[in-house]
């Protein structure tokens, strides 16, 4: 935040900084919900624990935003940790972590433990967790670390082989799970699923749960479900499992979350009731393993070896019982050798293609208008042998 905002408690006044340097370059970032516009600059940072020294990084001060800062939140911005292909305003802008690796000479790996399983969704920032820059902290996980390859270095794109609800395979083509990408993203709150996968998951949960009648608004996120505070509704819902391809491509492993992670309590609704939201939503362009799933695991982003690791997190417990599991290895003989499309379009390429198509459509439209304006010189009488096909169609494809 670079200017006062009603939803933030403080902001960064660059005029009072002796180290900030503006580059005078405008930056605009749009999300599926919300957006902001600001100015690119550089400043000096220090890391409070472990990494000695001061480092110069690129920073954007947000001057205008819409649905980005939210009421009651304690954060003042966002830290992008993906690859430079997604950097704004262009991939030539060195990312925060790339700057740190280059200047501090730390290993090109970071890891994240998000805590908050079974706790009310408040945005207060009091649930804790850890971000480890440059390595792995053994005290933050239990058991083994299971790694899946990064398929493409922009988002942390991975390959999902199948989903199970209550131990039952959804039996979808594995390409459906990766349409048009499957990514691991801590900046996404929910587990987001492509529409076809989402519908199958909701149908399977509704079928296997112990609740016969349930409002459709709960599944779509427009309504909460409430129970008496003495009740624990999690026992009514099934376990959800995601199979990821192992580094050994002939093997897979599965990460599983219990209902305590995807049936999420909400603060401050009624005196005698506890209300919950559905922590899974539909997506038009990706399967996103967001915070709903990540709160069950210690997640390692090993950029050097192009892989993402998962291990069970000690803080993923509710009432003393674990709410996440990792199991493997399993054979991949029952799935395709490649579940990811071989054609991977990055967003800038998609924009170029869309502009080219729009230009082509404009030229064709201009030609048609000219032809309509030219008076007809002769008329043709159709005979029985003429075939007139006046079938027209409008193909709409949303690129981004």
């Amino acid at each position: 935040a670079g200017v006062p905002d009603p939803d933030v408690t403080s902001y960064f006044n660059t005029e009072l900084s002796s180290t900030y340097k503006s580059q005078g370059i405008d930056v605009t970032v749009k999300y599926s919900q919300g957006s902001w516009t600001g100015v690119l600059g550089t400043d000096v940072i220090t890391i409070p624990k472990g990494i000695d020294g001061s480092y110069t990084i690129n920073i954007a001060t947000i001057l205008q935003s819409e649905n980005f800062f939210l009421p009651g939140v304690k954060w003042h911005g966002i830290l992008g940790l993906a690859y430079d292909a997604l950097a704004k305003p262009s991939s030539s802008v060195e990312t925060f972590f790339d700057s740190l690796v280059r200047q501090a000479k730390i290993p090109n790996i970071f890891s994240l433990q998000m805590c908050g399983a079974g706790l009310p969704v408040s945005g207060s920032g009091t649930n804790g967790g850890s971000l480890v820059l440059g390595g792995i902290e053994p005290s933050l996980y239990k058991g083994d670390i299971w790694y899946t390859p990064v398929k493409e270095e922009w988002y942390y794109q991975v390959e999902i082989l199948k989903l199970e609800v209550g131990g039952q395979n959804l039996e979808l083509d594995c390409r459906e799970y990766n349409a048009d990408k499957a990514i691991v993203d801590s900046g996404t709150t929910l587990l987001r699923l492509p529409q076809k996968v989402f519908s199958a998951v909701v149908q399977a949960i509704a079928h296997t749960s112990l609740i016969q009648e349930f409002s459709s608004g709960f599944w779509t996120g427009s309504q909460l479900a409430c129970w008496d505070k003495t009740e624990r509704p999690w026992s009514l819902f099934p376990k959800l499992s995601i199979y990821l391809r192992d580094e050994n491509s002939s093997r897979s492993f599965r990460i599983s979350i219990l209902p305590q992670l995807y049936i999420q309590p909400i603060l401050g609704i009624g005196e005698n009731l506890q209300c919950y939201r559905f922590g899974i939503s539909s997506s038009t362009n990706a399967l996103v393993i967001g915070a709903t799933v990540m709160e069950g695991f210690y997640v390692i982003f090993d950029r050097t070896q192009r892989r993402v690791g998962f291990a069970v997190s000690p803080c993923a417990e509710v009432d003393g019982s674990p709410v996440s599991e990792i199991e493997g290895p399993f054979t991949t003989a029952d799935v395709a050798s490649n579940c990811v499309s071989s054609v991977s379009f990055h967003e800038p390429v998609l924009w170029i293609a869309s502009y080219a198509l729009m230009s082509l459509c404009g030229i064709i439209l201009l030609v048609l208008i000219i032809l309509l304006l030219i008076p007809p010189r002769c008329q043709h009488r159709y005979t029985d042998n003429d075939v007139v096909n006046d079938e027209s169609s409008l193909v709409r494809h949303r690129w981004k």
Side-chain angles (χ1 to χ4, degrees):
V3 293
D5 186 281
D7 291 323
V8 297
T9 53
S10 61
Y11 70 97
F12 177 41
N13 188 340
T14 57
E15 294 181 359
L16 301 179
S17 173
S18 60
T19 53
Y20 173 83
K21 295 179 181 177
S22 174
Q23 297 183 23
I25 301 173
D26 292 337
V27 186
T28 298
V29 177
K30 294 182 179 180
Y31 306 96
S32 56
Q33 293 178 323
S35 63
W36 58 261
T37 298
V39 175
L40 188 66
T42 63
D43 204 353
V44 177
I45 62 154
T46 56
I47 307 294
K49 294 182 180 180
I51 304 175
D52 294 327
S54 298
Y55 308 100
T56 301
I57 61 157
N58 290 304
I59 183 173
T61 48
I62 297 173
L63 305 179
Q64 189 175 3
S65 65
E66 184 177 352
N67 296 326
F68 179 70
F69 299 112
L70 303 172
V73 298
K74 297 293 181 68
W75 44 266
H76 300 109
I78 187 166
L79 176 64
L81 289 167
Y83 292 97
D84 58 11
L86 297 181
K88 303 293 183 185
S90 75
S91 59
S92 64
V93 177
E94 188 174 60
T95 66
F96 165 80
F97 193 65
D98 282 337
S99 297
L100 209 57
V101 169
R102 178 176 59 82
Q103 296 175 55
K105 309 298 186 205
I106 61 172
N108 194 10
I109 177 175
F110 67 90
S111 49
L112 189 60
Q113 182 200 50
M114 302 176 72
C115 297
L119 297 176
V121 178
S122 64
S124 65
T126 58
N127 293 346
S130 299
L131 170 64
V132 181
L133 301 170
I136 299 171
E137 172 52 54
S139 66
L140 299 182
Y141 70 94
K142 300 185 293 186
D144 297 327
I145 301 173
W146 291 81
Y147 287 99
T148 186
V150 171
K151 300 294 289 185
E152 192 78 23
E153 292 174 303
W154 54 325
Y155 300 94
Y156 291 95
Q157 183 178 352
V158 296
E159 184 180 10
I160 293 176
L161 306 186
K162 61 182 177 179
L163 261 67
E164 289 179 348
V165 174
Q168 298 298 310
N169 189 350
L170 291 183
E171 301 292 353
L172 295 177
D173 186 315
C174 67
R175 286 168 291 195
E176 299 286 355
Y177 303 123
N178 299 279
D180 56 1
K181 56 186 174 288
I183 64 174
V184 182
D185 179 30
S186 61
T188 298
T189 305
L190 306 180
L191 168 60
R192 306 198 68 202
L193 303 174
Q195 184 58 56
K196 188 172 182 179
V197 180
F198 176 75
S199 298
V201 165
V202 168
Q203 186 176 6
I205 292 176
H207 178 72
T208 57
S209 73
L210 299 178
I211 300 173
Q212 299 303 316
E213 297 292 332
F214 221 73
S215 168
S216 61
F218 175 71
W219 307 118
T220 59
S222 61
Q223 290 182 327
L224 301 176
C226 302
W227 284 267
D228 189 276
K229 284 191 174 179
T230 60
E231 295 183 67
R232 292 286 189 165
W234 294 315
S235 61
L236 304 174
F237 295 89
K239 179 169 65 176
L240 180 64
S241 300
I242 301 171
Y243 285 74
L244 294 152
R245 194 179 294 277
D246 188 71
E247 288 186 288
N248 177 344
S249 61
S250 65
R251 305 191 317 180
S252 69
F253 64 94
R254 72 179 176 216
I255 58 175
S256 300
I257 58 171
L258 272 63
Q260 286 87 335
L261 284 169
Y262 70 83
I263 304 295
Q264 302 169 343
I266 300 293
L267 275 180
I269 309 286
E271 290 185 11
N272 300 315
L273 295 177
Q274 175 65 65
C275 297
Y276 299 79
R277 74 174 181 189
F278 190 44
I280 305 173
S281 68
S282 64
S283 168
T284 58
N285 60 355
L287 187 152
V288 186
I289 296 176
T292 289
V293 177
M294 292 181 68
E295 285 185 348
F297 304 95
Y298 182 48
V299 185
I300 296 97
F301 298 87
D302 187 345
R303 294 151 61 99
T304 299
Q305 299 193 55
R306 284 189 57 158
R307 60 185 187 173
V308 177
F310 292 86
V312 172
S313 169
C315 73
E317 293 186 351
V318 175
D319 298 331
S321 299
V323 294
S324 61
E325 303 167 356
I326 300 184
E327 296 165 290
F330 302 98
T331 179
T332 59
D334 59 336
V335 295
S337 59
N338 182 20
C339 298
V340 179
S341 172
S342 58
V343 181
S344 180
F345 290 115
H346 286 192
E347 289 173 355
V349 177
L350 295 179
W351 278 113
I352 293 169
S354 63
Y355 285 133
L357 281 174
M358 284 190 288
S359 301
L360 180 62
C361 291
I363 293 170
I364 294 172
L365 185 62
L366 183 62
V367 171
L368 289 173
I369 292 172
I370 293 172
L371 290 174
L372 286 171
L373 292 176
I374 297 173
R377 296 189 177 182
C378 62
Q379 290 185 338
H380 171 70
R381 290 191 176 186
Y382 290 114
T383 65
D384 292 339
N385 295 326
D386 285 320
V387 177
V388 180
N389 186 349
D390 191 25
E391 181 183 349
S392 63
S393 65
L394 178 63
V395 179
R396 293 176 297 173
H397 184 70
R398 189 174 179 181
W399 288 97
K400 187 177 180 183

